[in-house]
Structures are given as C-alpha cells and as structure tokens.
Amino acid sequence: MFDTHELGRRPGALQRISRTVEAPADLGIDGVIGVPQGSPVELGLRLESVMEGVLVTGTARASAEGECVRCLEPLRQDVAADFQEMFSYPDTDDRGHRQAAADDDAEDDEDMTPLEDGMFDLEPVLRDAVVLALPMQPVCREDCAGLCAECGANLNENPDHHHDAVDIRWAALQGLADSLGTGEKDNMSGAEPGVDEKQEK
C-alpha cells in the first residue's frame, strides 16, 4: 500500500517515490515465464495530484525466469513495465462536493480506482503491467536452433546434427522397386524386340 497524504489534494502537487518491493505470487504467465515470488521489484513512481484524485505513473523493473520455448533450457530475462493508473477521491468532485455522475462520466469512473483513506494498492496495476510486458514465447537467444524433431538433441550444442530421413510418401514405391529382380527387368527388356518384330511383319 502507498500513502498519498503527504502529497495532499492541491492540484499540480508532485511526489516521486523509489521503492523496492517483493514480487507477489503468480506474477507472470503460468508455465512459461514469470517473476519468482519474493524476488525484488524496483518501482519508480510519480504521484501527481489532479482534480479527480491522484495520477500514478511508474516503471517496474524485475528479473523473470522461465524456459526457452525452442530448446527448453532455463532462461532469465530482465523485464521493464510502464504503467499509469488514476486513483480517484471516492467522495468528492473538483469543488469538494459529492456529485452524481452523468452516463458518460460513469464510464470514465469505471477506469478509476478509488483511494481508501488516502492509500492505494499498486499490486493489481503492477500485475497487469508486468504480465503484458513478458514475452509469450520466451527464447534464450534470438537465433536459438531448438531441438531435433527426431531425437530431441539440442541443435545449439550440435549444429551439424541431422538424420537421413526417408519420405514416407515414396516408401511404398521404393519397396516395389526393390522387389523387382534383375531377371524380371531383363525379361521385360527382352520382350520388347519381339513385339517390334511382330509389328514389322
């Protein structure tokens, strides 16, 4: 939780906060990549008092761990996520009085999170920002060759690795060709002159 009491309600007032917090649980994409629970997350925040509440702009920096989608090796990546969120004063309008919102204003209010006793919880905002900043398909390096589709060998460690594969679409014809003996081929070739001789007669 972060306190805005020191900032006050005077529009235009600014406050900068730098803080390192522990990463909450499940900060990432399950089974792909994420920031380990309890690991440090560095926050740089700018709090600005506006008519409706407090506008929080910031950056979160952390180290994410996961698995390369190509070679399945463990990987570690730095992640930086920018975010901005409006935390509204729950009980006042810009003149300090409670005011009923119009229909279009009601939609804007849905995008704002109310302050609670001058405090705001950054975890939901942080979670959304970090998850969106993480790669959906992390790789250990851009030119990762991955694994052999036949045997699973790591092609980064053995770039010359290959298999002499037979195209299964031609396997039946190859078997037919192998079953034809030399004698049968000779008989077929020997029959051709006889056919030609009959045609000549």
Side-chain angles (χ1 to χ4, degrees):
M1 297 291 285
F2 290 82
D3 193 345
T4 66
H5 288 100
E6 186 178 332
L7 179 67
R9 288 197 177 191
R10 183 172 55 85
L14 292 175
Q15 182 182 5
R16 295 185 184 278
I17 300 174
S18 294
R19 187 180 299 178
T20 300
V21 298
E22 291 186 357
D26 303 321
L27 186 59
I29 305 167
D30 189 33
V32 180
I33 190 169
V35 179
Q37 182 177 2
S39 64
V41 178
E42 297 176 7
L43 298 176
L45 305 177
R46 179 179 183 270
L47 280 58
E48 180 179 1
S49 179
V50 295
M51 298 299 278
E52 299 85 2
V54 177
L55 180 65
V56 178
T57 306
T59 300
R61 299 182 184 280
S63 182
E65 297 178 2
E67 190 176 78
C68 176
V69 295
R70 295 181 189 165
C71 68
L72 306 182
E73 289 294 322
L75 61 81
R76 193 177 184 91
Q77 288 186 357
D78 292 333
V79 59
D82 298 324
F83 54 86
Q84 187 174 68
E85 184 76 8
M86 182 71 180
F87 293 91
S88 65
Y89 301 127
D91 57 349
T92 61
D93 63 8
D94 59 353
R95 291 179 299 280
H97 302 290
R98 185 161 185 83
Q99 183 180 29
D103 291 340
D104 54 348
D105 292 337
E107 292 180 8
D108 294 338
D109 290 343
E110 291 178 2
D111 296 333
M112 296 191 292
T113 306
L115 289 166
E116 298 179 7
D117 296 326
M119 309 283 286
F120 65 89
D121 183 8
L122 199 61
E123 183 176 326
V125 179
L126 178 65
R127 186 180 303 280
D128 290 345
V130 170
V131 170
L132 288 174
L134 291 170
M136 293 297 293
Q137 294 187 323
V139 290
C140 57
R141 62 175 196 254
E142 289 301 320
D143 62 344
C144 176
L147 302 176
C148 173
E150 295 289 328
C151 66
N154 191 328
L155 299 178
N156 296 309
E157 298 172 358
N158 187 2
D160 296 327
H161 175 83
H162 70 281
H163 295 272
D164 294 328
V166 176
D167 192 332
I168 60 171
R169 294 171 296 179
W170 296 103
L173 290 177
Q174 184 62 44
L176 179 62
D178 293 340
S179 68
L180 293 175
T182 308
E184 292 179 3
K185 291 180 182 177
D186 291 342
N187 291 339
M188 290 175 64
S189 62
E192 291 175 2
V195 172
D196 294 338
E197 288 175 4
K198 290 178 182 177
Q199 289 174 350
E200 288 177 1
K201 293 180 182 177

